[in-house]
Amino acid sequence: MKDEALPLRKFAAVSDWTAEVNGLPVRLAIAPARRLLDVIRDDLELTGTKRSCEIGRCGACMVLIDGRPANACLTMAYQCEGRPIRTIEGIADGAMHPVQRAFLEEGGYQCGYCTPGMVVSATALLDANPDPSPEEVEEALSGNLCRCTGYGGIIRAVRRAVELRREGN
Ligand code: FES
Ligand code: FES
């Protein structure tokens, strides 16, 4: 029996993807199966967003989508089509953000791998709730793992960020 060629499957290899990343419009041709994490790091070269567990456990890849924290490793790029995305590079906005300053002052900056995600999560918390209770801080950072278990400095940093924001710094 003569071999028959399989019918060609038609699918879109790439499609236009648009979003607003750190306040700037972005338009890329990307495959539908791309993750947001890979687009951010590999296409946009915004490497402050870290690639670690890749299964939503560690929080190293945290970004803000519509102002809300999201694991970029679990987010497909097409899911944020046309939406505002903020990475750690967009947090500072020219001057050091109070959360970043507080992390430096209180020893919350421990390793470069976890810290960007921690800062992103803390920023989202304080934008939504400028004076969170200790339980609310713990809850907000529960998706960010620190393998050195040095959470004391991180929690102090978030409290200090509350003060700095109140003082307008
Ligand atoms: S790399 Fe996304 S949660 Fe760990
Ligand atoms: S801050 Fe990265 S392991 Fe603790």
Side-chain angles (χ1 to χ4, degrees):
M1 186 177 137
K2 191 178 155 196
D3 284 341
E4 284 184 21
L6 289 171
L8 279 178
R9 291 173 61 200
K10 288 188 182 162
F11 58 92
V14 294
S15 60
D16 266 352
W17 181 80
T18 57
E20 185 195 298
V21 180
N22 297 334
L24 296 173
V26 168
R27 183 171 186 173
L28 293 171
I30 60 171
R34 298 287 304 286
R35 297 181 306 177
L36 180 62
L37 175 61
D38 302 324
V39 171
I40 286 174
R41 285 184 56 87
D42 302 337
D43 297 46
L44 300 177
E45 298 182 352
L46 295 168
T47 53
T49 302
K50 300 302 184 219
R51 182 183 285 138
S52 185
C53 71
E54 303 195 71
I55 54 172
R57 295 262 171 88
C58 73
C61 65
M62 203 68 78
V63 297
L64 302 179
I65 302 172
D66 288 325
R68 285 198 287 274
N71 293 115
C73 70
L74 297 183
T75 307
M76 304 305 290
Y78 75 81
Q79 292 177 298
C80 20
E81 168 80 39
R83 295 162 72 185
I85 297 162
R86 202 159 154 219
T87 70
I88 185 66
E89 288 88 349
I91 296 284
D93 199 21
M96 196 183 292
H97 189 279
V99 171
Q100 293 173 311
R101 182 183 302 186
F103 266 68
L104 283 175
E105 286 184 8
E106 295 295 336
Y109 180 82
Q110 292 158 166
C111 92
Y113 228 81
C114 317
T115 302
M118 301 269 186
V119 169
V120 168
S121 292
T123 300
L125 168 67
L126 300 187
D127 283 350
N129 178 1
D131 194 7
S133 67
E135 293 75 26
E136 287 169 329
V137 172
E138 279 187 30
E139 164 87 31
L141 293 180
S142 61
N144 294 86
L145 296 187
C146 159
R147 288 172 187 79
C148 61
T149 68
Y151 288 100
I154 293 164
I155 301 293
R156 278 201 312 275
V158 178
R159 287 204 203 103
R160 177 69 182 136
V162 170
E163 292 170 10
L164 287 173
R165 283 170 53 109
R166 201 178 283 139
E167 294 161 9
N169 290 310

